[in-house]
Amino acid sequence: MKNSVLFPIAIGFFMVLNAGIIIYNNSKARDRIKELHQLTPKSRYELSSGNATIFGIKEEGILGELHTCLSKHRPVSGRSPKGTDALGLDLVVDGSYTFDLAVSDGEIFNFVLRKKRFETNDGWVTPSFAVNCELELLNKL
């Protein structure tokens, strides 16, 4: 009888604890977007030559006005793609940050920011954010 009462209590405890850990980790991940402010319009980016050709942008350059636009991100529920087809683009910035961009008709409508710590082989990723930023903002100051 004692075990039949303790078991549901133990399960409930672990469920509450697990939910707390998930909520904490999600809020921590959301806080990572603040690292966007570590970058500037003069931060250097690079991408693969294939993607540069597909999107009609330079393989490397500076974030330019795109930095300001990305800083105006909003929750994903506010996402409004320009067109119907979307392609992914990885923009590596300053060698350690990567923007995973969702692009439709030359406009970024969704992104996540990742950071890879090469010395420890770990890193982090933010949740998705919505924006409406033209790729043309790259390299413009």
Side-chain angles (χ1 to χ4, degrees), residues 55-71:
F55 290 98
I57 54 179
K58 293 181 180 180
E59 284 182 46
E60 54 186 55
I62 59 170
L63 285 179
E65 292 177 12
L66 183 62
H67 176 267
T68 304
C69 188
L70 292 175
S71 297

Side-chain angles (χ1 to χ4, degrees), residues 32 35-36 38-39 44 46 91-99 113-116 118 124:
R32 299 290 191 193
E35 295 232 7
L36 178 58
Q38 300 295 322
L39 303 173
R44 306 279 314 159
E46 60 184 58
L91 196 68
V92 178
V93 180
D94 289 347
S96 58
Y97 292 95
T98 301
F99 286 97
L113 178 61
R114 289 187 287 131
K115 186 172 185 181
K116 175 81 169 151
F118 295 102
W124 50 258

Side-chain angles (χ1 to χ4, degrees), residues 81-127:
K82 198 175 192 179
T84 55
D85 294 333
L87 296 171
L89 175 64
D90 288 346
L91 196 68
V92 178
V93 180
D94 289 347
S96 58
Y97 292 95
T98 301
F99 286 97
D100 295 335
L101 308 173
V103 182
S104 178
D105 287 343
E107 181 183 75
I108 303 162
F109 65 90
N110 191 35
F111 78 92
V112 298
L113 178 61
R114 289 187 287 131
K115 186 172 185 181
K116 175 81 169 151
R117 294 190 179 103
F118 295 102
E119 65 278 1
T120 61
N121 207 24
D122 68 348
W124 50 258
V125 63
T126 67

Side-chain angles (χ1 to χ4, degrees), residues 2 6-7 10 44 57 73 96 129-130:
K2 205 180 215 182
L6 290 177
F7 185 70
R44 306 279 314 159
I57 54 179
H73 57 82
S96 58
F129 291 96

